[in-house]
Amino acid sequence: MHKILVTGGAGYIGSHTVVELINSGFEVVIVDNFSNSSPNSIDGIEAITGVRPKLYEADCSDATAMERLFSAEGNILGVIHFAALKAVGESVDKPLDYYRNNLLSTINMMQMLKEFGGKYMVFSSSCTVYGQPDVLPVTESTPRKPAMSPYGNTKRVGEDIIQDTVNSEKGIYAISLRYFNPIGAHPSALIGELPLGKPDNLVPFITQTAAGIREKLQIFGGDYDSPDGTAIRDYFHVVDLARAHVLALKRMIDGKCKGNYEVFNVGAGRGITVLEIVKTFERVTGVKINYEIVGRRAGDIEKVWADTTLAEKELGWSTESTLEESLLTAWNWERRLRKI
């Protein structure tokens, strides 16, 4: 059984990916510092899969702690690397925190693979590496632009660190998945997005407003060049994203990569405005959202969505859940969480 380390495995995308890995027959080890996640997600993973993955509470930017982990485990075949600070707005206010955490953790993971004989890395990258593209939808050959935020820049530089490393270490392979906007929760409602404190992402803010935890939803920017003036993103279900990580890992294990380093866009392949998300949520749940449109937020881009042709062709991946299903699972998770 192949042993895979999932950094940030107790987090939102990490926990869903751990479920898909276990269901695909992998042995999973999680490392998480719980800076923006809860140990309760491990209980959810166990309830869904019947397997409780081994857990290390540690910070991936701590090289000594990572050496201890890899030494203790002995035979980690690959890493799926989620662990990162991820709030665009916060990164503008705290750039050094973002560079220190996100880049050191990535350097450490590549160093550990090199030192301990690991072979595979799946990197949690982001569509933020494209900045505000000149042409939409974006393909993997769309030029990367100067990032609009320190967060986006850590993903851009993280990709470079990984690519340069695998170019120099011929036994290591890596795939960067550039995701767009994952939403929703596991259909069981046993795991989902649980931001600590005020949410930075749209959908948990919507569900918390619907649940009465937040007084109102603030929509940042109503003067964008879009059908209703709000920003356009590419929203898709988190379980679909989790499946993409498993497919990327299997691609490397099966020796199907075209070179040591590959990149794939992962999204629904269509742009949806923020206001459309709110209206769709209201329609599928029957709950009205109290919202107001306020000024633009620093670091945000106007519009971006994916061309996912390459992922469909090479990974055999495409989204399976609809927008309506994604939003309904997010609401079911919130309701279970708040006992509504």
Side-chain angles (χ1 to χ4, degrees), residues 51 88 90 98 111 141 153 159 183 205 225 248 306 313 327:
V51 176
V88 169
E90 183 185 61
Y98 274 68
Q111 185 69 37
S141 57
N153 205 33
E159 285 189 4
I183 59 172
F205 217 116
D225 179 19
K313 179 186 173 189
L327 290 168

Side-chain angles (χ1 to χ4, degrees), residues 27-42:
E27 180 184 352
V28 178
V29 177
I30 293 173
V31 59
D32 204 299
N33 67 358
F34 299 111
S35 64
N36 192 34
S37 59
S38 166
N40 293 338
S41 64
I42 310 300

Side-chain angles (χ1 to χ4, degrees), residues 34-149:
F34 299 111
S35 64
N36 192 34
S37 59
S38 166
N40 293 338
S41 64
I42 310 300
D43 297 332
I45 292 166
E46 183 178 19
I48 293 166
T49 65
V51 176
R52 190 171 189 87
K54 187 180 289 188
L55 170 68
Y56 289 82
E57 185 171 353
D59 194 317
C60 294
S61 63
D62 180 344
T64 303
M66 291 306 98
E67 284 180 359
R68 281 199 298 266
L69 188 163
F70 273 77
S71 293
E73 288 301 321
N75 59 340
I76 291 171
L77 181 69
V79 174
I80 300 183
H81 182 36
F82 295 106
L85 299 174
K86 64 181 183 63
V88 169
E90 183 185 61
S91 78
V92 175
D93 297 329
K94 301 177 178 179
L96 289 179
D97 289 354
Y98 274 68
Y99 286 116
R100 183 182 303 110
N101 183 84
N102 295 5
L103 297 184
L104 279 178
S105 64
T106 303
I107 290 168
N108 287 343
M109 284 306 116
M110 298 311 294
Q111 185 69 37
M112 294 304 106
L113 286 175
K114 180 180 172 183
E115 285 185 18
F116 290 90
K119 292 184 176 181
Y120 307 118
M121 161 69 84
V122 183
F123 179 55
S124 166
S125 191
S126 165
C127 64
T128 54
V129 301
Y130 297 116
Q132 179 56 66
D134 296 322
V135 178
L136 288 166
V138 293
T139 70
E140 289 80 359
S141 57
T142 296
R144 295 186 310 171
K145 285 192 169 185
M148 302 282 283
S149 67

